[in-house]
Amino acid sequence: MTDDDTIIKNIVKATNNQTEVQEIQLLSMTEYQELLESYFSNYGGSYNLFYERRSGQYNYNGNIDKSKIINPEMQMRAFASVFLDSPHRASRFYGSLKDDIEKDDGKDISKGIFVTGQQPIIYYTSALLLHIIDNYFNNDGIDDKYSKFRYHLLYIISKIVWKGEKKPQLNSKKVEDYCNLLINKIVDTEQFDHLLEQALNIIDKVIVNLDDQEANKSASIVNSLLMYIELGVTNQQLKSTVSFLNGMDDLLAPFYNMKIDGDLRYNFSDRLNDLIRRLRNYRLKVSVAELEEIRKAVDVDSRESRKNFARDIVRKMDDMCNRFKRTLEMSKKYTKQQV
């Protein structure tokens, strides 16, 4: 076998005119693939990987840990999960993933893959995260029931670390600091274990049925994961919030009236009990505790007491309902249809 890349390129190009050659072999000949191979080999960090742009090129090197070899297909899946927000695409066959990226993103530096000008550290970063995740699966550090969501784990962990950070352009020098923020956390075993625990908990909360064969290929699942990371709510909780808000105006109407003059037409205790029951049904423990304190403190025979505590109830409930409404409004960008 020759190691002369020029000879190899000429052979592959000549053969390609006569027979069908795998796209991944042709991909290995590009200058950007050569750049990645060199970058991985010369990376100065604490965790070295090897980029195998040509299939089997490290087979005869006994000094290389084979688990640290990253091939173009693995790289494409990792990069799509971390930098293109597409773990659902990464879960598909290689051909489908490649076609989807090329169709939607072309040669856009911010969206495309293996685009000249992109900083190579973005590929190393995503490959390293995949390598670490794979090692955990291979050593029983992650339950096999999550195996089809391995690319979603890459997505979630990177989103947690970069929460609140603005993603730089992928051809910008600033992306190096952005990547190092993630690298420094995932090479630290204690920090990574904490991130992994968070990510698995998020999957458990957001994905209702882990056995659903199509769940790992769904774009809506990815949106739901991001919504939970950024807003802390699931689709089920959104639906419950809508249900809770429906009818709250009627429950609060008596207190709006009583806060004006302590109106005797309403039975303060009964109306407060109605409100507490609703909060309990929706497991809003903090708010229930606050209203129970009011129930103990109010003098139902005093107009002034009824008026003051009605005002307190309206303020607390308005604050809570407005928070819920803001969450519903913010959730719209993660959902195609209103809840």
Side-chain angles (χ1 to χ4, degrees):
M1 175 183 288
T2 179
D3 288 328
D4 189 327
D5 277 353
T6 302
I7 295 175
I8 293 173
K9 287 180 182 180
N10 290 336
I11 291 173
V12 173
K13 286 179 180 177
T15 306
N16 190 41
N17 291 327
Q18 304 166 26
T19 62
E20 187 174 332
V21 179
Q22 290 183 355
E23 291 182 10
I24 208 159
Q25 289 178 303
L26 293 173
L27 179 66
S28 72
M29 298 188 302
T30 65
E31 289 184 7
Y32 199 80
Q33 292 292 301
E34 294 175 4
L35 172 65
L36 290 182
E37 179 185 11
S38 175
Y39 183 86
F40 276 54
S41 297
N42 296 303
Y43 182 75
S46 59
Y47 219 110
N48 62 317
L49 297 173
F50 302 90
Y51 190 70
E52 185 183 61
R53 64 183 178 86
R54 296 195 315 270
S55 178
Q57 73 183 80
Y58 295 117
N59 284 356
Y60 303 103
N61 190 332
N63 297 321
I64 289 179
D65 179 351
K66 298 303 187 287
S67 74
K68 292 187 175 183
I69 294 175
I70 303 295
N71 63 40
E73 181 177 348
M74 295 166 65
Q75 181 66 83
M76 184 173 284
R77 295 183 191 279
F79 181 79
S81 302
V82 175
F83 286 97
L84 302 184
D85 298 341
S86 298
H88 57 300
R89 288 177 170 177
S91 301
R92 301 174 188 170
F93 292 114
Y94 166 76
S96 299
L97 171 62
K98 184 174 182 293
D99 289 345
D100 280 349
I101 292 175
E102 290 181 346
K103 178 180 66 179
D104 291 351
D105 304 318
K107 297 300 181 182
D108 185 337
I109 282 180
S110 65
K111 297 180 180 179
I113 192 164
F114 301 139
V115 179
T116 300
Q118 290 177 333
Q119 296 293 337
I121 193 172
I122 62 181
Y123 291 95
Y124 173 83
T125 303
S126 52
L128 177 60
L129 183 50
L130 175 61
H131 166 71
I132 293 173
I133 289 288
D134 280 347
N135 272 355
Y136 270 66
F137 274 112
N138 293 336
N139 292 289
D140 299 322
I142 305 175
D143 195 301
D144 282 344
K145 70 181 181 180
Y146 298 104
S147 60
K148 67 174 177 283
F149 297 104
R150 73 178 63 230
Y151 301 113
H152 293 73
L153 288 173
L154 271 68
Y155 174 76
I156 296 168
I157 288 172
S158 61
K159 287 297 183 186
I160 292 173
V161 172
W162 288 329
K163 184 176 180 181
E165 298 285 335
K166 182 179 179 180
K167 181 167 75 173
Q169 289 292 314
L170 301 186
N171 63 337
S172 165
K173 281 291 184 181
K174 292 180 180 179
V175 83
E176 291 190 7
D177 290 338
Y178 186 74
C179 287
N180 283 323
L181 181 62
L182 179 58
I183 291 171
N184 291 337
K185 289 185 179 294
I186 63 178
V187 297
D188 182 303
T189 301
E190 185 176 342
Q191 290 192 69
F192 179 78
D193 286 344
H194 180 62
L195 287 168
L196 178 61
E197 182 181 8
Q198 287 180 270
L200 293 174
N201 285 336
I202 289 172
I203 286 178
D204 287 338
K205 288 178 182 295
V206 172
I207 303 177
V208 177
N209 181 12
L210 293 180
D211 295 325
D212 182 349
Q213 295 302 310
E214 297 301 315
N216 64 327
K217 301 170 187 174
S218 166
S220 63
I221 289 290
V222 178
N223 289 335
S224 296
L225 290 169
L226 182 60
M227 181 173 71
Y228 189 84
I229 293 167
E230 296 190 346
L231 300 184
V233 293
T234 65
N235 287 318
Q236 292 75 22
Q237 289 171 327
L238 289 179
K239 292 175 182 176
S240 179
T241 298
V242 171
S243 175
F244 171 77
L245 291 173
N246 288 337
M248 278 299 289
D249 287 346
D250 290 339
L251 281 172
L252 290 176
F255 297 102
Y256 275 102
N257 289 322
M258 283 188 281
K259 76 171 186 165
I260 298 171
D261 60 3
D263 199 325
L264 280 171
R265 291 178 299 166
Y266 303 99
N267 185 309
F268 189 99
S269 295
D270 287 349
R271 300 293 74 75
L272 182 56
N273 288 336
D274 290 341
L275 189 55
I276 289 174
R277 274 194 296 271
R278 186 171 185 82
L279 296 176
R280 279 182 176 153
N281 286 341
Y282 288 89
R283 300 179 182 178
L284 299 173
K285 294 180 181 179
V286 174
S287 298
V288 166
E290 290 177 344
L291 294 189
E292 286 180 336
E293 288 299 316
I294 289 176
R295 183 165 58 185
K296 293 176 184 177
V298 65
D299 179 356
V300 294
D301 294 325
S302 164
R303 178 185 292 269
E304 193 65 21
S305 181
R306 291 194 303 272
K307 181 175 72 173
N308 290 336
F309 281 107
R311 185 182 298 118
D312 197 19
I313 289 170
V314 167
R315 180 181 56 79
K316 290 178 185 296
M317 292 299 100
D318 276 352
D319 287 347
M320 181 182 67
C321 291
N322 286 334
R323 287 198 307 272
F324 288 168
K325 289 173 182 176
R326 283 195 297 272
T327 297
L328 288 174
E329 186 62 30
M330 288 187 292
S331 74
K332 290 179 181 179
K333 76 173 185 178
Y334 305 95
T335 55
K336 292 182 178 179
Q337 298 178 350
Q338 292 188 17
V339 181

